[in-house]
Amino acid sequence: MNADLERLIQLQKLDEEILRKTRLLESLPSEIKHLNVEVETARNGLKAFDAQVEADKKAKRDLEREVEVAKDQIAKDKGKLTAVKTNVEYRAILKELENFDKKIRALEDRELEIMEKLEGAQNARKAVEENAKEAEKRAKVVVAEKESAIGELKKRMDVLLADRASLVSGISGSIISSYEKTLKARDGVGVTRIKDMICSGCNQMVPPQLYYQIKSSDEIYKCPHCSRYLYFQPEEAESRVE
Ligand SMILES: [Zn+2]
């Protein structure tokens, strides 16, 4: 086989791994960011929960104060009753007392609702807090894993890029530049196998004469359709490799 072609085949393998690892290195940081956002969301959920409980407690205190004020008014009105001189005045005060009673009952109903809500919140808070803690614990483990994966990937990439550079230095300049151009333009594949006259890169048939040249000569040829370099690999070699 042509020496450049042999090196291109090795280079293609390296480039596939480089491409896969580059994609991982691009996606991992955003995955880590996403996990951190999830933790932040869980923490904010707990904060919002606590803020709601505080708001409910304040509403309950306000209602209690309103009840106290209404009770004071009732006491004052009752005091007035003893000094009343006319029936009209008497009835007016009784009407007022009745209204205060109604108001107190309404306030106490609302107070009760809030108290029930607060009781429920006490149990619910435990679950919300545990969820937040659990999310944080899980994220911590996964983030650490992903960070260590990034470290490993970077180390492996250094090795791959060094191997690539030394391989590239042994390939003719015009061939490597053509390969790299095709690699970029054609989904990361710059050299591919020809099988039964079909290019494995674009699945199109090459002219029979070209096919026999690829099979038998020591020259290097490109697919006329996709410009990928082509190599022939006999069937038994294939099963031996795989
Ligand atoms: Zn092709």
Side-chain angles (χ1 to χ4, degrees):
M1 193 187 274
N2 178 288
D4 277 335
L5 189 57
E6 253 177 68
R7 290 193 187 99
L8 278 185
I9 294 168
Q10 287 180 50
L11 186 61
Q12 178 68 62
K13 272 187 195 148
L14 278 183
D15 279 338
E16 276 163 24
E17 193 180 343
I18 288 170
L19 187 66
R20 279 198 307 275
K21 293 201 163 34
T22 304
R23 283 182 184 149
L24 271 174
L25 278 171
E26 279 164 2
S27 67
L28 281 169
S30 69
E31 286 171 25
I32 289 175
K33 203 174 154 191
H34 183 74
L35 281 163
N36 287 333
V37 168
E38 270 179 20
V39 169
E40 200 54 38
T41 306
R43 276 188 201 145
N44 286 339
L46 190 61
K47 272 185 206 161
F49 190 91
D50 286 342
Q52 182 60 50
V53 167
E54 281 314 308
D56 287 340
K57 280 182 181 167
K58 186 185 175 299
K60 184 174 165 274
R61 284 196 302 271
D62 289 346
L63 286 170
E64 281 165 357
R65 258 195 298 277
E66 271 189 78
V67 169
E68 284 314 308
V69 170
K71 280 182 178 167
D72 283 350
Q73 294 291 337
I74 288 173
K76 270 182 204 160
D77 278 356
K78 280 184 176 164
K80 276 189 222 160
L81 277 178
T82 53
V84 156
K85 292 189 179 72
T86 67
N87 262 339
V88 176
E89 241 183 300
Y90 189 77
R91 276 199 297 274
I93 292 174
L94 281 185
K95 183 77 193 155
E96 212 176 81
L97 280 170
E98 198 184 310
N99 285 341
F100 279 131
D101 272 337
K102 264 191 211 159
K103 191 182 174 185
I104 287 172
R105 276 199 299 276
L107 289 170
E108 282 174 345
D109 280 349
R110 275 164 61 198
E111 224 183 294
L112 205 66
E113 272 173 35
I114 293 178
M115 277 163 72
E116 278 169 6
K117 196 179 163 195
L118 282 169
E119 264 173 46
Q122 243 176 359
N123 296 326
R125 195 193 185 277
K126 255 185 211 162
V128 174
E129 192 183 9
E130 258 161 43
N131 274 351
K133 273 187 188 160
E134 201 52 45
E136 203 164 334
K137 220 163 84 183
R138 259 198 322 268
K140 229 179 184 175
V141 172
V142 182
V143 165
E145 277 171 8
K146 287 186 191 292
E147 274 168 355
S148 110
I150 288 176
E152 291 301 314
L153 278 170
K154 281 183 177 163
K155 269 190 234 161
R156 178 70 187 145
M157 276 295 264
D158 286 344
V159 173
L160 286 170
L161 291 175
D163 287 353
R164 187 182 202 280
S166 84
L167 203 51
V168 163
S169 70
I171 302 173
S172 314
S174 62
I175 288 175
I176 189 65
S177 67
S178 173
Y179 163 85
E180 282 181 336
K181 226 165 84 185
T182 313
L183 192 74
K184 268 186 200 152
R186 303 273 182 203
D187 294 326
V189 181
V191 58
T192 192
R193 189 179 168 202
I194 185 155
K195 195 179 173 188
D196 304 328
M197 270 193 268
I198 306 282
C199 161
S200 312
C202 65
N203 290 317
Q204 294 193 70
M205 190 179 264
V206 303
Q209 199 197 341
L210 177 61
Y211 178 63
Y212 290 113
Q213 279 170 324
I214 293 167
K215 256 179 98 166
S216 53
S217 91
D218 197 35
E219 293 301 305
I220 182 163
Y221 296 98
K222 282 182 193 176
C223 169
H225 310 291
C226 68
S227 301
R228 291 181 177 101
Y229 285 112
L230 291 170
Y231 66 91
F232 176 78
Q233 187 181 37
E235 291 296 328
E236 66 263 41
E238 180 191 16
S239 55
R240 210 168 52 230
V241 169
E242 287 163 5

